[in-house]
Amino acid sequence: MTALEIAMAGCLAFGHPTGNYYEAITTHSGLQVIHADGAVTLRLREERRERREEPGATLDIISLKDEYYPFEVVRHVRVWNDCAAVETWAEIRHSEPGPVRLVRADSFAAPVAATSDVVRVLSLTGTAKNEANVSRSSVGNGQTVELVSRAGTRNAWEANAAMMVEFGDDVGEERGKVLGVALEWPGNSCRRVRRNWDGSRTEVFAGVDMTTGPYTLDPGVTFTTPKAILVWSENGRGEVSRTYHRWARRHLMPHGYDLHPVLLNSWEGSYFSFTERTLLDMMDGVKEMGGEMFVLDDGWFGRGKFARDEKNKAKAGLGDWCVNKAKLPHGLGWLADEAERRGLKFGLWVEPEMANTNSWLYEEHPDRILSEAGRPPICGRGKSQVVLDFCNPAVRDNLFGQLDAVYAEIPSLAYVKWDCNANIWNPGSPYLAADRQPNLWYDYAKGYLELLKRFRAKRPRVMVQACASGGGRMDFGSLRYADEFWPSDCTDPYRRIFIQWGCSQFYPASAMACHVTASPNHQTKRETPLKYRFDVAMTGRLGFELHPKDMTAEEIAFAKAAVADYKRIRPVVQRGDLYRLVSPYEKPLAALMYASEAKDAAAVFALGLKIDGGRTETLKLRGLDTDARYSVREINCGGRLHLVGGARFIASVTGRDLMERGLDITLFGEYDSAVFEICKNEQSR
Ligand code: GLA
């Protein structure tokens, strides 16, 4: 079986081609509509099928039309030549005399032929500062497991838009049948896995969530479902993850193979309390440690009584995108020049979708805000945060103009952190007509993507970080335009091991921003060694979020060496294949490795959790060339060496040995960790 076969089966099941309405209900079709005349049936017949060769891919287009109503579904299935991920989506349109209501319009809906007694669903769930917990449950006969997220914005928290369906009891990292289903969508979404009464049939669905009300589709308008990305593997979850990572780097992310810089973000180092001097000191500090970019986080904007300053903190200013001259008298362009003078790039935090009720924007243009007529607004952060009406193109245009003027002040702008710190708690759009209010959820998400796309088109080289109070926007929809995520506001390395483990199930390491922060950790108060904080952060895109002035000379020296080590292994971490070796859900440590596609380099991480005393573990490596010879060197050493026997360097060992016999390592006590750099020896055969 292949992902393509599964996708094509979807084409047939989609819209229940038999036209039997009873069957349509009982098989839970992925498409359900209410026609302009109130009828609820569909009898779709295939009209046309076309195959188009695209650069690097083949696209099948299948047009289905209703026998009676002028209603059409055009299914798309794209297969990439260089990676086993299949994209599938549908366009829905009609020319009925009035609007049609879409009760359900999934991106993908299909029976999956893999027979097995056990079907499990793996998904990611969580909340603020506790994202991407891996959750697994089995689907019993006659049961449906449903994963729904309805926050409007921070949807990756409750139910991340990706899941794996495991067939059989023997599924592991490197074995077993697994179907990956991910949506390229930041909006409300729903995935379902359903088994019939005797378990002989498993159906899988994924699409936009419509339980907040049907989508009203006018004649002549096309509703495009988000893309579903399917990956099928008979070799376990690891292969599914690696395929998603490759697909994302090659075919989704704007610059999937660019190396991401080591940066310092100002947030945890200063929060809202900074002057120009604070920021210059931070720049000096990160430069000294080998960093490459400085990012100014929240607190730089707003004016007058609504300035986002130390007094107002998060209570004011969102929506007024002009630099706060009282705080930064020389402006943003000057700051970016100061960064450039130090050889650093410059990045800026923004929160485009939001306003505070304490803002000039809210005072002057309340009609730009999502709100429910007659009800006082439910406000989020700072008891004053509300969401702009991104369904309204004029609101988006205005915002684009405001932010563009800010960016224009910073010709060297290299990075934008796009944050989003509220859900849609007031689901009313002043722009949409009364009978179109349920369209808000889909139209909002489209509006967000449209703005990101516009930003990209105008500033193609500027990196974007998708952040939503941490990992609320960890989805492939955002990653089409963004370069990375901020997976969590929790920067405690112990908790990050789990969060990053979850993230790695679908999203590539280069997109996983991981920052070394102060100890005790600001969120959990946990104290951990600096080495541990580095080792955990080095498994993704390394950065800092602290004030370097608070570090001792020894810590700075350690950090300098760690950054140099990271830069050496960065290509393999950010572009390599991930192999998860030991799960933190099963043992008191996590072990993982990245191996280059050419199998000539690798980096191995062993990250201890609460280890009592010491623990020896054999790490059987993966992804190497069996017959090649490699050297193994422990890097980022903080005193103790971790290879059993005490060596720091092994000059020559075969890939076979590393994979079959493995590396014996010991972790000493809690929060201990080790990193190994593996290089293929020249003339190694
Ligand atoms: C959110 C983000 C943080 C930081 C703050 C700033 O919580 O997730 O990283 O940017 O906002 O207010």
Side-chain angles (χ1 to χ4, degrees):
M1 193 156 67
T2 64
L4 175 62
E5 282 162 15
I6 296 170
M8 292 308 256
C11 289
L12 301 177
F14 195 97
H16 40 86
T18 62
N20 177 325
Y21 182 56
Y22 174 73
E23 189 185 323
I25 298 169
T26 54
T27 58
H28 294 246
S29 163
L31 178 61
Q32 286 178 359
V33 306
I34 304 173
H35 293 284
D37 65 3
V40 292
T41 55
L42 270 177
R43 289 173 185 240
L44 294 175
R45 292 274 178 262
E46 186 172 320
E47 277 259 311
R48 250 187 359 266
R49 189 176 275 245
E50 182 193 336
R51 174 160 289 187
R52 281 191 205 154
E53 292 306 325
E54 299 181 324
T58 305
L59 178 67
D60 281 302
I61 303 174
I62 301 140
S63 298
L64 305 149
K65 283 206 170 135
D66 192 86
E67 287 174 343
Y68 177 71
Y69 289 93
F71 183 95
E72 186 186 18
V73 177
V74 184
R75 299 270 305 152
H76 296 74
V77 180
R78 176 181 286 134
V79 186
W80 291 99
N81 300 338
D82 63 359
C83 113
V86 172
E87 299 168 8
T88 181
W89 70 100
E91 291 168 2
I92 301 168
R93 49 182 160 259
H94 69 91
S95 50
E96 298 188 19
V100 166
R101 275 168 290 161
L102 304 177
V103 178
R104 176 170 287 168
D106 281 345
S107 305
F108 167 72
V112 179
T115 49
S116 109
D117 287 346
V118 179
V119 175
R120 284 203 181 86
V121 180
L122 178 151
S123 66
L124 305 181
T125 185
T127 184
K129 301 192 179 116
N130 195 351
E131 287 85 344
N133 293 281
V134 176
S135 179
R136 275 172 94 212
S137 73
S138 57
V139 191
N141 291 356
Q143 292 184 339
T144 301
V145 167
E146 189 178 53
L147 310 168
V148 199
S149 195
R150 252 175 237 151
T153 49
R154 299 178 294 190
N155 276 310
W157 276 348
E158 180 72 23
N160 192 286
M163 67 174 176
M164 293 192 204
V165 187
E166 306 177 352
F167 297 90
D169 219 4
D170 62 337
V171 175
E173 277 297 323
E174 307 296 335
R175 60 173 197 282
K177 294 178 182 164
V178 185
L179 174 67
V181 182
L183 286 172
E184 195 185 312
W185 187 240
N188 293 359
S189 69
C190 177
R191 285 151 302 289
R192 294 188 303 282
V193 180
R194 178 180 174 272
R195 297 186 79 196
N196 69 343
W197 74 277
D198 63 356
S200 60
R201 187 179 161 96
T202 302
E203 292 158 2
V204 180
F205 305 83
V208 169
D209 174 64
M210 298 272 190
T211 45
T212 45
Y215 191 91
T216 300
L217 184 65
D218 284 314
V221 177
T222 299
F223 179 94
T224 306
T225 72
K227 289 195 180 87
I229 302 94
L230 310 179
V231 173
W232 172 255
S233 169
E234 309 212 343
N235 302 305
R237 292 191 288 268
E239 190 171 85
V240 171
S241 301
R242 287 187 289 281
T243 307
Y244 276 117
H245 299 169
R246 253 183 219 205
W247 167 79
R249 285 194 300 264
R250 290 188 184 169
H251 304 303
L252 180 79
M253 296 163 72
H255 310 291
Y257 280 82
D258 281 7
L259 292 179
H260 293 200
V262 176
L263 58 81
L264 182 140
N265 174 299
S266 66
W267 182 239
E268 282 198 24
S270 66
Y271 296 105
F272 292 103
S273 318
F274 56 81
T275 61
E276 286 179 338
R277 184 71 260 156
T278 325
L279 306 181
L280 298 184
D281 287 346
M282 284 183 166
M283 289 180 193
D284 288 336
V286 68
K287 182 64 194 173
E288 192 187 347
M289 294 187 287
E292 297 153 319
M293 186 188 281
F294 171 76
V295 178
L296 172 56
D297 208 279
D298 197 353
W300 57 266
F301 55 92
R303 117 184 111 76
K305 62 176 181 180
F306 294 139
R308 189 105 161 159
D309 53 20
E310 262 192 87
K311 180 169 62 65
N312 284 330
K313 296 201 166 61
K315 288 197 190 82
L318 290 174
D320 303 332
W321 298 107
C322 56
V323 69
N324 177 358
K325 286 276 184 175
K327 211 167 177 183
L328 299 173
H330 292 91
L332 295 172
W334 176 83
L335 263 184
D337 288 348
E338 285 295 319
E340 205 168 6
R341 268 192 342 107
R342 291 164 171 79
L344 295 171
K345 293 181 174 168
F346 183 79
L348 188 68
W349 178 97
V350 290
E351 200 179 348
E353 296 152 82
M354 302 292 157
N356 285 115
T357 49
N358 308 313
S359 68
W360 300 105
L361 174 102
Y362 191 79
E363 282 208 346
E364 289 158 19
H365 305 285
D367 56 321
R368 292 192 190 161
I369 310 295
L370 289 177
S371 59
E372 291 175 283
R375 291 189 204 275
I378 296 169
C379 295
R381 195 177 183 204
K383 299 195 171 54
S384 64
Q385 186 156 336
V386 287
V387 183
L388 295 185
D389 185 0
F390 264 29
C391 304
N392 184 346
V395 171
R396 300 202 301 268
D397 281 351
N398 177 280
L399 180 81
F400 186 83
Q402 272 199 62
L403 285 173
D404 205 50
V406 173
Y407 303 145
E409 284 175 37
I410 320 166
S412 62
L413 183 71
Y415 179 103
V416 162
K417 173 174 173 180
W418 179 308
D419 206 343
C420 167
N421 290 313
N423 292 356
I424 297 184
W425 285 301
N426 306 293
S429 162
Y431 172 76
L432 294 174
D435 63 348
R436 306 293 152 99
Q437 290 297 317
N439 289 13
L440 181 152
W441 308 94
Y442 174 88
D443 289 359
Y444 183 94
K446 277 277 193 200
Y448 155 70
L449 293 175
E450 189 259 344
L451 258 192
L452 264 181
K453 185 176 179 182
R454 232 204 284 183
F455 173 84
R456 258 291 160 222
K458 179 130 192 209
R459 300 178 194 278
R461 296 306 311 174
V462 177
M463 285 181 70
V464 175
Q465 181 185 77
C467 171
S469 315
R473 282 260 173 83
M474 207 152 69
D475 58 73
F476 286 130
S478 300
L479 205 57
R480 180 164 290 279
Y481 306 109
D483 300 270
E484 61 178 34
F485 309 118
W486 180 231
S488 180
D489 272 358
C490 182
T491 56
D492 172 350
Y494 175 86
R495 283 294 316 140
R496 271 291 184 128
I497 289 175
F498 290 91
I499 293 166
Q500 294 169 193
W501 190 265
C503 178
S504 82
Q505 303 295 319
F506 302 97
Y507 306 109
S510 57
M512 193 168 75
C514 310
H515 295 174
V516 172
T517 55
S519 175
N521 179 265
H522 289 191
Q523 293 81 38
T524 62
K525 310 288 175 259
R526 191 191 313 274
E527 288 185 47
T528 54
L530 184 61
K531 169 179 166 52
Y532 185 66
R533 282 175 270 151
F534 263 104
D535 287 357
V536 173
M538 281 163 78
T539 63
R541 193 278 286 144
L542 174 69
F544 295 92
E545 208 168 307
L546 42 69
H547 197 323
K549 268 196 155 174
D550 301 332
M551 296 168 76
T552 63
E554 295 85 77
E555 286 177 328
I556 296 274
F558 183 86
K560 242 170 150 167
V563 169
D565 277 348
Y566 179 72
K567 285 181 180 167
R568 259 195 346 272
I569 59 170
R570 172 163 57 180
V572 73
V573 170
Q574 295 194 5
R575 298 170 178 154
D577 285 330
L578 167 72
Y579 295 87
R580 289 179 294 255
L581 307 176
V582 180
S583 166
Y585 285 90
E586 287 162 17
K587 291 193 177 174
L589 78 155
L592 56 122
M593 65 177 286
Y594 296 98
S596 67
E597 287 183 24
K599 298 180 191 288
D600 57 357
V604 179
F605 298 84
L607 311 168
L609 298 168
K610 292 199 170 157
I611 290 174
D612 204 7
R615 183 183 177 100
T616 296
E617 196 73 31
T618 299
L619 305 182
K620 294 198 172 167
L621 306 194
R622 319 269 316 173
L624 301 175
D625 182 349
T626 329
D627 297 322
R629 301 198 77 84
Y630 295 89
S631 66
V632 178
R633 180 191 303 275
E634 180 163 1
I635 61 169
N636 205 26
C637 296
R640 294 188 92 145
L641 296 173
H642 296 86
L643 281 174
V644 169
R648 178 164 185 191
F649 182 66
I650 303 172
S652 178
V653 51
T654 62
R656 175 176 286 107
D657 259 8
L658 288 170
M659 294 193 288
E660 288 175 10
R661 231 207 52 69
L663 271 186
D664 292 328
I665 60 134
T666 304
L667 293 179
F668 304 97
E670 62 177 12
Y671 314 136
D672 191 21
S673 54
V675 185
F676 303 94
E677 182 181 6
I678 308 224
C679 298
K680 184 166 164 182
N681 293 340
E682 276 169 34
Q683 281 144 17
S684 72
R685 279 167 197 259

